[in-house]
Amino acid sequence: MHKAEKLSLIALALLAFAGNSLLCRVALKGGAIDAASFTSVRLVSGAMLLFAVLAWQQGRRGQSQATPRLPGDNRSAMALFVYASAFSWAYLSMSAATGALLLFGAVQVTMIAFGLFRGERLLALQWAGLLLAVAGVIWLVLPGLAAPPLLACVAMLLAGIAWGVYSLRGGRKGLKGAPSPHPTAVTAGNFLRAIPLALGVSLITWTQQHWSVQGLLYALASGALTSGLGYAIWYRVLPYLPATHAATVQLGVPALAAFGGMVLLGESMTWTLAGASAAILGGIALVMWGRATPG
């Protein structure tokens, strides 16, 4: 893959990840749709787009490489469902920038923690970075005028942990070792497996549901474009990125979400958010850019 093509795909993937935060926030902030319905529509439309991409890929290959009939696995689908559901509920009461910051902070800390559990060792500077990132999260969620509601913060941190687990299970090293030879197919299968769980929550919360055409369009765009197509682009470029680079470039998503929130949603940048952002992203960058040594 040429460098220009790789950089273009990375930029598109990061814009898609930030777009998820913006679309979810604008849909739920205005009450255009409820959180459960947003999650269900997002997963259904994401699955449809991913299977369409998969069919196109198989057509180009002449179906020379067979894929499993129902790829993915139930544990990964559960992690995907928890991420998508908690993500939607959290954005009922927090800004796009704050949500993206907590989400990707939790994702990276989860993946770092798994590395430590697996036997990796951090240098002193990396430990300092990890402590700085944790301090930034604590600063962000401390009670105060600018702090988002605690339950919303907990929900977004849970979403980040779930996405970190999902990334580990589907990554090149993963929880089970070998990478999947069909990453798009696996992602499509996990979306499909997560749909019944999302529909179950929608059924339980049926009396609280509400949606409009505008809200459904936001959810469709989140599922098909910024989720389905975004993930397809990300998995296209991921094999050409070192693991540390793949993790580090995602730290740009909160900045993109913050900028988009200010320009498109009229959100403001507070000193608390700016300081916490610097602490969290700077701390994680120190960990990622350092070199872990095996235990």
Side-chain angles (χ1 to χ4, degrees):
M1 178 181 291
H2 297 297
K3 184 177 181 180
E5 180 184 2
K6 181 167 64 175
L7 291 176
S8 298
L9 292 177
I10 291 173
L12 286 174
L14 297 185
L15 287 172
F17 293 160
N20 260 332
S21 293
L22 296 173
L23 286 169
C24 187
R25 177 56 179 159
V26 71
L28 298 177
K29 177 183 178 181
I33 192 172
D34 64 280
S37 297
F38 185 93
T39 302
S40 295
V41 175
R42 179 186 177 188
L43 290 174
V44 170
S45 58
M48 293 175 64
L49 191 285
L50 284 165
F51 275 107
V53 170
L54 183 61
W56 176 75
Q57 290 177 340
Q58 290 178 331
R60 290 190 63 188
R61 294 194 302 257
Q63 295 184 345
S64 59
Q65 297 180 15
T67 58
R69 179 171 297 179
L70 183 58
D73 64 89
N74 292 332
R75 291 182 180 179
S76 295
M78 175 61 75
L80 177 63
F81 161 72
V82 172
Y83 150 72
S85 296
F87 180 88
S88 298
W89 288 103
Y91 266 130
L92 286 170
S93 52
M94 69 169 52
S95 69
T98 302
L101 180 62
L102 288 174
L103 176 71
F104 282 91
V107 169
Q108 301 302 332
V109 170
T110 299
M111 299 180 76
I112 292 168
F114 176 74
L116 293 175
F117 175 78
R118 195 172 50 185
E120 294 180 0
R121 294 293 180 265
L122 300 183
L123 303 176
L125 185 62
Q126 293 175 295
W127 276 112
L130 183 58
L131 293 175
L132 180 61
V134 172
V137 172
I138 294 173
W139 181 14
L140 184 64
V141 303
L142 280 176
L145 295 177
L150 180 59
L151 288 179
C153 292
V154 171
M156 191 58 81
L157 290 173
L158 177 62
I161 293 170
W163 184 250
V165 171
Y166 182 80
S167 299
L168 288 167
R169 292 187 63 84
R172 286 174 293 177
K173 292 185 178 179
L175 295 176
K176 293 187 177 180
S180 168
H182 310 289
T184 302
V186 169
T187 306
N190 287 330
F191 264 73
L192 187 62
R193 291 169 184 266
I195 289 173
L197 299 173
L199 293 179
V201 174
S202 293
L203 184 61
I204 294 172
T205 61
W206 177 259
T207 58
Q208 303 174 16
Q209 289 182 29
H210 59 274
W211 58 82
S212 63
V213 173
Q214 187 179 36
L216 290 174
L217 289 176
Y218 285 139
L220 285 169
S222 175
L225 299 179
T226 58
S227 293
L229 189 58
Y231 298 165
I233 293 172
W234 180 244
Y235 283 122
R236 170 74 176 85
V237 72
L238 191 58
Y240 299 94
L241 292 176
T244 53
H245 292 187
T248 303
V249 296
Q250 294 182 67
L251 300 181
V253 175
L256 292 172
F259 179 77
M262 288 187 289
V263 173
L264 302 176
L265 307 182
E267 297 176 350
S268 59
M269 174 63 74
T270 65
W271 285 110
T272 297
L273 179 58
S277 299
I280 295 172
L281 300 183
I284 293 175
L286 287 176
V287 177
M288 288 297 177
W289 289 335
R291 184 177 180 181
T293 58

